[in-house]
Amino acid sequence: MKKMNYQNVKGTKDYLPEEEIVRRRIQRELEDVFIQYGCKPLETPILNYTELLASKYGGGAEILEEMYTLSDRGGRDLALRYDLTIPFAKAAAMNPGIRLPFKRYEIGRVFRDGPIKTGRLREFTQCAVDIAGADSQLAEAELMVMALDAFQRIGLDITIQYNNRKLLSGMLQEFGVLEEKRNEAILVLDKLEKAGWQKVSEELAAKGIGYEAIQRIAGFISDKNIGKLAYYEEMEDKNVHLKEGLQELMELEGYLNYLNSSRKAVFNPFLARGLDIYTGTIYEIFLTDRSLASSIGSGGRYDNAIGGFIGSGKKVATVGISFGLDAIFTAVSQSLSWTERESTADYFIIPINTPKESLALAQYLREKGWRVELELGSRKISKALERANKENIRKVILLGEEEVSNNQYKVKDMETGEEAFEKYDFKKYV
């Protein structure tokens, strides 16, 4: 008989209780922030039509290479969602009665058959917020401030890098990149930090970008002044895309400066975000110390998706941000403040020849709102106490026949060693 392969599929992971407790805690912190910022919960299907996820309003060619596809009994072409953005845009398009601006949050599993590295799996959890119907950069500013707030609560020091796709497109126009090649060039430039200029320049040439344009891009990259928005002002009058992108960035910068957030949110002219969907401001979130190389969150404006799905072609101003729960877990696992085990119970009851009475006492305490764990095995008292210590359960009740006959139970504080008796009528069950 062939031995069954019971290992995890590559790129997936079991989170045992010790880890999952931390993940749930992170998720609660994020959800609390989302709710505080006025976001409403929404849940979308994991399973979608391939046509939807592969549309021109989706993530583009590179992400489609990582999409998991399948078919059902009816022969329909289906796919697992690779993010929460397109399913949200679909839901908004299907429900035109939604009152705008509409601000939602969703926490759910997504799937990508991509490369695996620290903090990046093939099945992972995204925590997303999207705002539909807000065309001001005020929406981007609020999402960035929300991210800074959320990660401060979690205890991670982050930096948000931001840019604008219109500004990028306008600059490529200035460099002589043909319109039909600009999106491809942006996707290649997105690899600049990871791959370096040599590989990026070779890929640009392979994409059909001319030698002169590549040289002008190289000159731009080496200029020390491109990190300041003032650098682009002298070019804005003759370039519509550049002008619009610059105006949006200046508006956003004004909000961030006013909120004293500009130190943690930094303009990066090289940031491109390798997805076709984005139409304006884009951003990525990194640990400030870069102890995790990949980003732990990202987002941007995508004004064409909802109108595209409706078929009207009308732009519906939409902006979103998402955080990778698994990447955040990897980051906080390195933090001393998160290494302490969080207890899953307030009381641990150890029966000493009192199984029925212990069960009744556990139920009584649960009805009062306490989290109670009951020793269900037959281990020795010393072993049971050892377990309570390992599980970081502070209060232990050793319930013997004498306590039952006296209608009381003894609570031991495992931290201080103090003991106290509490009254309880065991006879009412007789």
Side-chain angles (χ1 to χ4, degrees):
M1 184 177 176
K2 185 180 178 182
K3 184 179 179 182
M4 180 184 292
N5 183 359
Y6 57 86
Q7 302 298 313
N8 284 338
V9 174
K10 189 176 181 181
T12 66
K13 177 177 170 57
D14 293 316
Y15 288 100
L16 298 180
E18 184 177 348
E19 296 175 315
E20 186 60 16
I21 287 169
V22 176
R23 280 167 45 87
R24 297 289 177 95
R25 183 176 161 194
I26 295 168
Q27 186 171 316
R28 286 196 302 270
E29 293 283 0
L30 291 174
E31 190 166 11
D32 285 346
V33 173
F34 297 162
I35 292 170
Q36 188 176 25
Y37 277 72
C39 304
K40 296 178 174 63
L42 179 74
E43 186 168 343
T44 58
I46 289 173
L47 202 58
N48 293 268
Y49 286 109
T50 304
E51 183 183 10
L52 172 79
L53 299 181
S55 74
K56 66 178 182 179
Y57 307 108
E62 290 202 10
I63 202 167
L64 293 184
E65 293 177 1
E66 300 180 356
M67 185 167 65
Y68 283 99
T69 58
L70 63 152
S71 61
D72 64 8
R73 295 181 186 182
R76 285 171 283 264
D77 294 324
L78 307 175
L80 303 181
R81 64 187 180 191
Y82 50 75
D83 69 7
L84 299 176
T85 304
I86 302 307
F88 164 70
K90 179 259 321 178
M94 287 175 60
N95 296 277
I98 291 175
R99 187 178 301 163
L100 300 178
F102 176 55
K103 190 187 298 183
R104 74 95 197 218
Y105 77 90
E106 182 173 6
I107 299 174
R109 291 292 182 104
V110 297
F111 305 83
R112 296 184 189 180
D113 186 13
I116 301 163
K117 56 184 178 180
T118 302
R120 178 169 178 171
L121 300 169
R122 288 176 173 167
E123 178 186 1
F124 56 98
T125 301
Q126 270 193 350
C127 310
V129 170
D130 293 88
I131 306 173
D135 57 6
S136 166
Q137 293 293 299
L138 192 61
E140 277 88 339
E142 183 170 56
L143 291 182
M144 288 187 186
V145 172
M146 182 190 72
L148 292 171
D149 188 0
F151 283 104
Q152 184 178 23
R153 295 191 195 194
I154 292 170
L156 292 177
D157 184 19
I158 63 159
T159 300
I160 302 175
Q161 296 183 10
Y162 66 90
N163 198 2
N164 191 289
R165 289 291 282 264
K166 294 175 185 175
L167 185 79
L168 269 174
S169 181
M171 289 305 298
L172 290 174
Q173 182 180 340
E174 290 294 307
F175 301 148
V177 178
L178 298 176
E179 185 175 358
E180 61 269 21
K181 293 288 184 179
R182 285 175 203 158
N183 214 37
E184 285 185 276
I186 287 173
L187 298 182
V188 174
L189 287 172
D190 189 55
K191 305 173 184 177
L192 183 62
E193 185 176 337
K194 297 175 184 176
W197 171 246
Q198 183 63 37
K199 288 187 177 179
V200 164
S201 63
E202 292 172 0
E203 192 168 341
L204 286 171
K207 295 287 186 183
I209 309 298
Y211 174 80
E212 185 177 339
I214 292 175
Q215 293 305 304
R216 295 183 71 179
I217 294 172
F220 169 72
I221 288 171
S222 61
D223 195 312
K224 295 180 180 179
N225 297 312
I226 60 174
K228 300 176 181 178
L229 294 181
Y231 172 88
Y232 305 90
E233 290 181 354
E234 61 186 48
M235 294 177 268
E236 64 174 316
D237 290 337
K238 54 184 178 179
N239 189 310
V240 174
H241 292 298
L242 196 152
K243 184 176 182 178
E244 288 182 2
L246 181 60
Q247 287 175 345
E248 290 175 4
L249 285 171
M250 292 179 73
E251 181 187 351
L252 176 59
E253 189 179 72
Y255 294 132
L256 295 173
N257 286 336
Y258 189 76
L259 295 170
N260 295 319
S261 299
S262 56
R263 185 177 63 86
K264 305 302 296 181
V266 182
F267 170 59
N268 177 2
F270 303 133
L271 184 67
R273 294 239 54 214
L275 298 178
D276 287 345
I277 190 174
Y278 294 112
T279 58
T281 303
I282 48 176
Y283 32 82
E284 289 202 45
I285 303 168
F286 296 92
L287 293 178
T288 301
D289 63 7
R290 288 304 184 98
S291 56
L292 197 64
S294 59
S295 66
I296 58 175
S298 58
R301 180 166 287 276
Y302 55 103
D303 289 348
N304 295 330
I306 296 175
F309 290 144
I310 295 172
S312 65
K314 180 182 177 182
K315 289 187 177 181
V316 179
T318 315
V319 62
I321 194 167
S322 68
F323 312 122
L325 182 63
D326 302 84
I328 296 171
F329 169 75
T330 300
V332 301
S333 296
Q334 303 166 5
S335 170
L336 290 175
S337 62
W338 285 75
T339 55
E340 295 180 8
R341 185 192 296 265
E342 184 178 328
S343 176
T344 58
D346 301 302
Y347 288 93
F348 185 49
I349 299 176
I350 304 172
I352 305 173
N353 299 320
T354 58
K356 290 186 290 185
E357 293 84 357
S358 294
L359 187 61
L361 179 59
Q363 191 62 21
Y364 165 74
L365 291 171
R366 287 167 184 150
E367 287 171 356
K368 294 180 75 68
W370 298 109
R371 300 172 300 165
V372 181
E373 186 167 346
L374 178 64
E375 169 59 38
L376 300 175
S378 56
R379 72 185 88 198
K380 293 179 179 179
I381 294 175
S382 59
K383 289 293 183 182
L385 288 170
E386 186 180 324
R387 181 189 172 189
N389 268 325
K390 287 182 178 179
E391 295 289 337
N392 202 27
I393 303 173
R394 182 165 178 173
K395 294 182 179 180
V396 173
I397 298 172
L398 287 136
L399 189 64
E401 294 171 336
E402 183 178 347
E403 285 81 13
V404 171
S405 65
N406 291 328
N407 282 322
Q408 62 183 9
Y409 59 93
K410 184 171 65 176
V411 181
K412 180 174 182 177
D413 189 316
M414 299 295 285
E415 191 173 298
T416 65
E418 295 178 355
E419 295 180 346
F421 285 94
E422 300 285 346
K423 290 288 185 180
Y424 179 68
D425 184 11
F426 289 99
K427 293 178 181 177
K428 66 181 181 179
Y429 290 100
V430 177

Short mmCIF file of all heavy atoms in Angstrom, two decimals, residues 102-125:
data_model
loop_
_atom_site.label_atom_id
_atom_site.label_comp_id
_atom_site.label_asym_id
_atom_site.label_seq_id
_atom_site.Cartn_x
_atom_site.Cartn_y
_atom_site.Cartn_z
N PHE A 102 -18.35 54.69 -0.02
CA PHE A 102 -18.52 53.42 0.68
C PHE A 102 -17.15 52.94 1.12
O PHE A 102 -16.24 52.76 0.32
CB PHE A 102 -19.18 52.40 -0.24
CG PHE A 102 -19.30 51.02 0.37
CD1 PHE A 102 -19.94 50.84 1.58
CD2 PHE A 102 -18.78 49.91 -0.28
CE1 PHE A 102 -20.06 49.57 2.15
CE2 PHE A 102 -18.89 48.64 0.27
CZ PHE A 102 -19.54 48.48 1.49
N LYS A 103 -17.02 52.73 2.42
CA LYS A 103 -15.74 52.34 3.01
C LYS A 103 -15.91 50.97 3.64
O LYS A 103 -16.70 50.79 4.56
CB LYS A 103 -15.33 53.37 4.06
CG LYS A 103 -13.91 53.21 4.57
CD LYS A 103 -13.65 54.16 5.75
CE LYS A 103 -13.78 55.61 5.35
NZ LYS A 103 -13.43 56.50 6.50
N ARG A 104 -15.20 50.00 3.13
CA ARG A 104 -15.36 48.64 3.65
C ARG A 104 -14.02 48.06 4.10
O ARG A 104 -12.95 48.50 3.69
CB ARG A 104 -15.95 47.74 2.57
CG ARG A 104 -14.91 47.37 1.47
CD ARG A 104 -14.22 46.06 1.72
NE ARG A 104 -13.01 45.93 0.90
CZ ARG A 104 -12.61 44.82 0.35
NH1 ARG A 104 -13.32 43.73 0.49
NH2 ARG A 104 -11.49 44.78 -0.34
N TYR A 105 -14.12 47.01 4.94
CA TYR A 105 -12.94 46.23 5.26
C TYR A 105 -13.27 44.75 5.10
O TYR A 105 -14.42 44.33 5.23
CB TYR A 105 -12.40 46.51 6.67
CG TYR A 105 -13.17 45.88 7.80
CD1 TYR A 105 -12.85 44.61 8.28
CD2 TYR A 105 -14.23 46.55 8.42
CE1 TYR A 105 -13.55 44.02 9.33
CE2 TYR A 105 -14.93 45.98 9.48
CZ TYR A 105 -14.59 44.72 9.92
OH TYR A 105 -15.28 44.14 10.95
N GLU A 106 -12.25 43.97 4.79
CA GLU A 106 -12.41 42.52 4.64
C GLU A 106 -11.11 41.85 5.05
O GLU A 106 -10.02 42.33 4.73
CB GLU A 106 -12.78 42.14 3.21
CG GLU A 106 -13.00 40.64 3.02
CD GLU A 106 -13.53 40.28 1.63
OE1 GLU A 106 -13.62 41.17 0.77
OE2 GLU A 106 -13.84 39.10 1.42
N ILE A 107 -11.23 40.74 5.75
CA ILE A 107 -10.08 39.93 6.14
C ILE A 107 -10.33 38.52 5.63
O ILE A 107 -11.32 37.89 6.01
CB ILE A 107 -9.88 39.94 7.66
CG1 ILE A 107 -9.62 41.37 8.16
CG2 ILE A 107 -8.73 39.01 8.06
CD1 ILE A 107 -9.54 41.50 9.66
N GLY A 108 -9.50 38.03 4.73
CA GLY A 108 -9.76 36.72 4.15
C GLY A 108 -8.56 36.12 3.44
O GLY A 108 -7.56 36.79 3.18
N ARG A 109 -8.69 34.83 3.09
CA ARG A 109 -7.61 34.09 2.43
C ARG A 109 -7.57 34.42 0.94
O ARG A 109 -8.60 34.53 0.28
CB ARG A 109 -7.83 32.58 2.60
CG ARG A 109 -7.65 32.08 4.03
CD ARG A 109 -6.20 32.20 4.47
NE ARG A 109 -5.99 31.68 5.81
CZ ARG A 109 -5.44 30.51 6.09
NH1 ARG A 109 -5.08 29.70 5.11
NH2 ARG A 109 -5.26 30.13 7.33
N VAL A 110 -6.34 34.53 0.43
CA VAL A 110 -6.12 34.69 -1.01
C VAL A 110 -5.01 33.72 -1.43
O VAL A 110 -4.27 33.20 -0.58
CB VAL A 110 -5.73 36.15 -1.37
CG1 VAL A 110 -6.87 37.10 -1.04
CG2 VAL A 110 -4.47 36.58 -0.65
N PHE A 111 -4.88 33.50 -2.74
CA PHE A 111 -4.02 32.43 -3.23
C PHE A 111 -3.21 32.90 -4.43
O PHE A 111 -3.76 33.45 -5.38
CB PHE A 111 -4.87 31.22 -3.63
CG PHE A 111 -5.77 30.74 -2.53
CD1 PHE A 111 -7.01 31.34 -2.30
CD2 PHE A 111 -5.39 29.69 -1.71
CE1 PHE A 111 -7.84 30.92 -1.28
CE2 PHE A 111 -6.21 29.26 -0.69
CZ PHE A 111 -7.44 29.87 -0.48
N ARG A 112 -1.90 32.65 -4.37
CA ARG A 112 -1.01 32.99 -5.49
C ARG A 112 0.05 31.91 -5.64
O ARG A 112 0.75 31.59 -4.67
CB ARG A 112 -0.33 34.35 -5.28
CG ARG A 112 -1.30 35.53 -5.25
CD ARG A 112 -0.56 36.84 -5.13
NE ARG A 112 -1.47 37.95 -4.89
CZ ARG A 112 -1.11 39.21 -4.74
NH1 ARG A 112 0.18 39.53 -4.81
NH2 ARG A 112 -2.01 40.16 -4.53
N ASP A 113 0.17 31.40 -6.84
CA ASP A 113 1.17 30.37 -7.13
C ASP A 113 2.48 31.05 -7.51
O ASP A 113 2.98 30.91 -8.63
CB ASP A 113 0.67 29.46 -8.26
CG ASP A 113 1.60 28.28 -8.49
OD1 ASP A 113 2.48 28.05 -7.64
OD2 ASP A 113 1.43 27.60 -9.51
N GLY A 114 3.01 31.81 -6.56
CA GLY A 114 4.23 32.58 -6.82
C GLY A 114 5.40 32.08 -6.02
O GLY A 114 5.31 31.09 -5.30
N PRO A 115 6.54 32.77 -6.13
CA PRO A 115 7.73 32.37 -5.38
C PRO A 115 7.51 32.49 -3.88
O PRO A 115 6.77 33.36 -3.41
CB PRO A 115 8.81 33.35 -5.86
CG PRO A 115 8.06 34.50 -6.46
CD PRO A 115 6.78 33.96 -6.97
N ILE A 116 8.13 31.59 -3.12
CA ILE A 116 7.97 31.54 -1.67
C ILE A 116 9.22 32.11 -1.01
O ILE A 116 10.34 31.79 -1.39
CB ILE A 116 7.75 30.09 -1.21
CG1 ILE A 116 6.51 29.51 -1.88
CG2 ILE A 116 7.60 30.02 0.30
CD1 ILE A 116 6.44 28.01 -1.81
N LYS A 117 9.00 32.97 -0.02
CA LYS A 117 10.12 33.51 0.75
C LYS A 117 9.60 33.89 2.13
O LYS A 117 8.42 33.71 2.42
CB LYS A 117 10.74 34.72 0.05
CG LYS A 117 9.75 35.84 -0.26
CD LYS A 117 10.43 36.94 -1.04
CE LYS A 117 9.44 38.05 -1.40
NZ LYS A 117 10.08 39.12 -2.17
N THR A 118 10.48 34.40 2.97
CA THR A 118 10.09 34.75 4.33
C THR A 118 8.94 35.75 4.31
O THR A 118 9.04 36.81 3.69
CB THR A 118 11.29 35.36 5.09
OG1 THR A 118 12.36 34.43 5.09
CG2 THR A 118 10.90 35.69 6.52
N GLY A 119 7.86 35.40 4.99
CA GLY A 119 6.71 36.29 5.06
C GLY A 119 5.78 36.21 3.87
O GLY A 119 4.77 36.92 3.82
N ARG A 120 6.11 35.36 2.88
CA ARG A 120 5.26 35.25 1.70
C ARG A 120 4.96 33.79 1.41
O ARG A 120 5.87 33.00 1.13
CB ARG A 120 5.93 35.90 0.48
CG ARG A 120 5.07 35.76 -0.78
CD ARG A 120 5.57 36.61 -1.91
NE ARG A 120 4.76 36.42 -3.11
CZ ARG A 120 4.85 37.16 -4.21
NH1 ARG A 120 5.72 38.14 -4.26
NH2 ARG A 120 4.09 36.93 -5.25
N LEU A 121 3.69 33.43 1.47
CA LEU A 121 3.24 32.07 1.19
C LEU A 121 2.36 32.08 -0.06
O LEU A 121 2.10 33.12 -0.65
CB LEU A 121 2.46 31.53 2.39
CG LEU A 121 3.22 31.45 3.72
CD1 LEU A 121 2.27 31.15 4.85
CD2 LEU A 121 4.32 30.39 3.63
N ARG A 122 1.89 30.89 -0.45
CA ARG A 122 0.99 30.79 -1.60
C ARG A 122 -0.48 30.85 -1.18
O ARG A 122 -1.34 31.17 -1.98
CB ARG A 122 1.28 29.50 -2.38
CG ARG A 122 2.59 29.59 -3.14
CD ARG A 122 2.94 28.30 -3.84
NE ARG A 122 4.11 28.48 -4.68
CZ ARG A 122 4.81 27.50 -5.21
NH1 ARG A 122 4.45 26.24 -4.96
NH2 ARG A 122 5.86 27.74 -5.97
N GLU A 123 -0.75 30.53 0.06
CA GLU A 123 -2.06 30.73 0.65
C GLU A 123 -1.85 31.63 1.85
O GLU A 123 -1.14 31.27 2.78
CB GLU A 123 -2.69 29.40 1.09
CG GLU A 123 -4.03 29.57 1.77
CD GLU A 123 -4.58 28.27 2.34
OE1 GLU A 123 -3.89 27.24 2.23
OE2 GLU A 123 -5.68 28.29 2.90
N PHE A 124 -2.43 32.83 1.82
CA PHE A 124 -2.17 33.78 2.89
C PHE A 124 -3.40 34.64 3.15
O PHE A 124 -4.39 34.60 2.40
CB PHE A 124 -0.95 34.65 2.57
CG PHE A 124 -1.01 35.40 1.26
CD1 PHE A 124 -1.39 36.73 1.22
CD2 PHE A 124 -0.68 34.77 0.06
CE1 PHE A 124 -1.45 37.42 0.01
CE2 PHE A 124 -0.73 35.45 -1.14
CZ PHE A 124 -1.11 36.78 -1.17
N THR A 125 -3.34 35.41 4.22
CA THR A 125 -4.49 36.20 4.65
C THR A 125 -4.22 37.68 4.41
O THR A 125 -3.21 38.21 4.87
CB THR A 125 -4.79 35.98 6.15
OG1 THR A 125 -5.05 34.58 6.35
CG2 THR A 125 -5.99 36.78 6.59
#
